[in-house]
Amino acid sequence: MKQFFLTVLGVFTGLILFLVVVPVVLLTAALTTSSKPTTPAQTVLELDLREGLSDQPSSNPFAAFSGAGLSVTRVVDVLAQAGEDRNVKALLIRLPEMGMTPATADELSQAIRRFRAAGKPVIAHSQGWMPVGTAVSSYMVGAAADQLWMQNTATFGAAGFSTDEMFLGRAFEKYGVDAEFEQRYEYKNAVNQFTQSDFTPAHREAMTAWMTAIYDSAVSGAARGRGMTPQALRGVIEAGPYSAQAALTARLIDRVGQVEEAEAEAKRRAGSRGEIVEFGDYASNVGEREGSGRSAVAIVGGEGAIVTGRGGGGSFGGGSSIQSDDTAEAIYDAIEDKDVKAIVFRVSSPGGSPEASEQILAAVRAARAAGKPVVVSMGAYAASGGYWISSEADWIVAQPSTLTGSIGVFGGKFVLADALARFGVDTRQIGVGGDYASAFSTSQPFSPSQRAAFAAGMDRTYEDFIARVSTGRKLPAERVREIARGRVWTGAQALPLGLVDQLGGVTEAVAKAKALARIPADQSVRFKRFPEQKSPWEALSEAFGVQSEAARALVMLGGVMADPQAQAVMRRVEGERMRGQGASVLAEQPLP
């Protein structure tokens, strides 16, 4: 009977694939191969930032169908192409009310200034800035435009940079949850939410420091765009909030009006036949910039938590992760490509598994050993494990507001026996083998010997991390220990410490990669992206790989469709490996 239901399930899944997914696959392929529409002669690109940006494009062909939008690196690339496109005359930006990731704001502001340098006007429109999170970073992006508009009923409330932290220490104590963690060292604050009821002095010191640095950077960037000194702009901002008319009087904005009025102004500047084109449509039309020339620069991407294994990014465009097998393989593929002379490794990650991080770092070492320089471009954050995989690159480029460093480690477990017992649930542990076999049991605390063994493992991981940074950054180990201890730094703070080499984005990273590869600055290069985007069948294989009967149905369907790539699904039927608990190298992440 069980087999009968599994077979029915497989057939049903096959029908769904045939009737729903396959048409989508065929439509995607048809759209990909069709001729590109012509860009209107007087185009105004409209870039809507209100839905947020990922750092990098997804390699999953179904990402668009799950609501995945644009990415920072894609926007930068498309703006560069638009700056050279004679048909694109102007840019209109819709700004978010709630702010954006600070490093994203840095990179967008730089790209906007390059677009303006091509002689093309930029108009930004806001429906207000809320007094939460990093709204001041959103304001900085608007300030980079030629004109900054604000809706008449909106409020300018970006008076600073704030965040709330939730601590569960007292609640855990009340309800019998025992959080047993080790951290190296006092600034590795990821576990504090589970063990404390308030900021520790080190936690408060570190957060205040990087928040102040981000705020200072945003105010300085906005002041540059508004033609004011940072001190003067700070005084005006912090005296808020303001109505739209008051913000105009205070020179925080240039015009008050509806977005339709801002669109009309942008079209007027584009010409008598000015036409609005959505940024995403234009990006699809022009595709990714490929460049030209005999030499190539590889662009390798990595976004999200660092984990072991393959197949990151979610079945149909879900949350991103850096899978160590995939990322290492992408770097090795770039090494083997004879046309590739240098590698730009774009990293946006709060960290993750030390083992996965080391696997990726080994690939970076292999690239350097093969004579191909590696330049890391840090995105929103490249901290903890994200810094581990970056540490031995030839050159590191970070945005002023990138969160980096966090050279430290933590790990542990929750003991739930007391909490569950209060609800009549009794847990008992039984095992065979050595004493450490039950170390991560949730029914009992660490024994003294287990705690000692686990702490020794934390120490080894921390020392390994110190050694990688010392080697890669050419710093004495003792100096690394002084600036490590789990502390998060912004890119601007990390530069004088020697943790990064240059402030900037992916554009600056590419220029440095060319220089290290001894390619003349005025010589064009091709861009090769690794890993390549998955085919629709590969994405389907990952989506249904854990369903054996569905897998067989998909393979049969693949045979009917004469697409042998569908056979790859059978490699996924064994499911995902169970991973034991252990050390993590994770850092705090910036607010959206």
Side-chain angles (χ1 to χ4, degrees), residues 138-213:
S138 172
Y139 177 65
M140 179 180 72
V141 173
D146 293 273
Q147 276 192 358
L148 178 54
W149 290 54
M150 187 172 169
Q151 187 170 306
N152 61 314
T153 56
T155 299
F156 188 106
F161 176 17
S162 66
T163 181
D164 290 312
E165 292 287 312
M166 183 178 294
F167 295 95
L168 301 174
R170 286 197 308 117
F172 281 0
E173 182 178 355
K174 179 178 180 180
Y175 293 106
V177 177
D178 185 11
E180 295 199 332
F181 284 88
E182 292 278 341
Q183 60 196 104
R184 301 293 184 272
Y185 277 98
E186 69 271 22
Y187 295 107
K188 197 69 176 179
N189 298 315
V191 304
N192 286 9
Q193 61 179 312
F194 307 124
T195 61
Q196 306 294 324
S197 59
D198 196 354
F199 291 102
T200 65
H203 193 174
R204 185 179 296 278
E205 174 194 351
M207 285 199 67
T208 301
W210 65 255
M211 288 176 65
T212 300

Side-chain angles (χ1 to χ4, degrees), residues 92-115:
L92 174 66
I93 302 173
R94 304 290 302 278
L95 297 168
E97 301 169 61
M98 305 294 285
M100 64 177 62
T101 303
T104 295
D106 286 337
E107 196 136 14
L108 291 180
S109 297
Q110 294 156 10
I112 290 167
R113 286 194 288 269
R114 287 191 291 267
F115 183 85

Side-chain angles (χ1 to χ4, degrees), residues 11 16 21 27 71 131 201 235 251 277 366 370 382 385 413 468 471 519 552 576-577 589:
V11 172
I16 294 296
V21 179
L27 177 61
S71 67
R251 295 176 52 218
V277 174
K413 67 175 182 177
R468 301 318 180 256
T471 298
I519 301 172
R552 291 189 178 92
E576 296 186 0
R577 294 183 293 113
Q589 301 178 34

Side-chain angles (χ1 to χ4, degrees), residues 52 65 80 110 174 214 424 447 505 510 577:
F65 295 101
Q110 294 156 10
K174 179 178 180 180
I214 287 175
S447 69
V510 169
R577 294 183 293 113

Side-chain angles (χ1 to χ4, degrees), residues 105-353:
D106 286 337
E107 196 136 14
L108 291 180
S109 297
Q110 294 156 10
I112 290 167
R113 286 194 288 269
R114 287 191 291 267
F115 183 85
R116 290 180 59 188
K120 302 185 179 187
V122 178
I123 293 176
H125 186 274
S126 170
Q127 292 178 293
W129 288 276
M130 300 296 291
V132 293
T134 56
V136 68
S137 293
S138 172
Y139 177 65
M140 179 180 72
V141 173
D146 293 273
Q147 276 192 358
L148 178 54
W149 290 54
M150 187 172 169
Q151 187 170 306
N152 61 314
T153 56
T155 299
F156 188 106
F161 176 17
S162 66
T163 181
D164 290 312
E165 292 287 312
M166 183 178 294
F167 295 95
L168 301 174
R170 286 197 308 117
F172 281 0
E173 182 178 355
K174 179 178 180 180
Y175 293 106
V177 177
D178 185 11
E180 295 199 332
F181 284 88
E182 292 278 341
Q183 60 196 104
R184 301 293 184 272
Y185 277 98
E186 69 271 22
Y187 295 107
K188 197 69 176 179
N189 298 315
V191 304
N192 286 9
Q193 61 179 312
F194 307 124
T195 61
Q196 306 294 324
S197 59
D198 196 354
F199 291 102
T200 65
H203 193 174
R204 185 179 296 278
E205 174 194 351
M207 285 199 67
T208 301
W210 65 255
M211 288 176 65
T212 300
I214 287 175
Y215 181 50
D216 289 346
S217 178
V219 170
S220 295
R224 174 182 175 182
R226 300 305 302 166
M228 303 170 68
T229 66
Q231 294 79 7
L233 181 60
R234 181 194 294 269
V236 175
I237 287 176
E238 294 180 0
Y242 297 93
S243 67
Q245 190 59 49
L248 178 64
T249 302
R251 295 176 52 218
L252 291 171
I253 61 173
D254 299 298
R255 299 281 294 274
V256 175
Q258 300 295 327
V259 66
E260 291 78 11
E261 297 175 90
E263 288 177 343
E265 174 63 15
K267 289 193 287 186
R268 184 191 69 78
R269 293 196 179 203
S272 59
R273 293 177 289 109
E275 184 174 342
I276 299 290
V277 174
E278 290 188 8
F279 196 90
D281 292 339
Y282 179 79
S284 297
N285 293 344
V286 300
E288 291 186 312
R289 184 172 41 169
E290 297 180 355
S292 60
R294 296 179 59 185
S295 299
V297 172
I299 309 294
V300 177
E303 180 177 5
I306 304 170
V307 297
T308 59
R310 291 184 178 276
S315 303
F316 285 91
S320 296
S321 60
I322 300 178
Q323 301 276 341
S324 61
D325 283 13
D326 291 340
T327 304
E329 182 179 5
I331 296 173
Y332 283 118
D333 286 345
I335 294 171
E336 294 172 3
D337 190 319
K338 294 181 180 179
D339 293 335
V340 170
K341 306 304 179 186
I343 299 171
V344 171
F345 186 15
R346 175 72 174 197
V347 177
S348 187
S349 172
S353 161

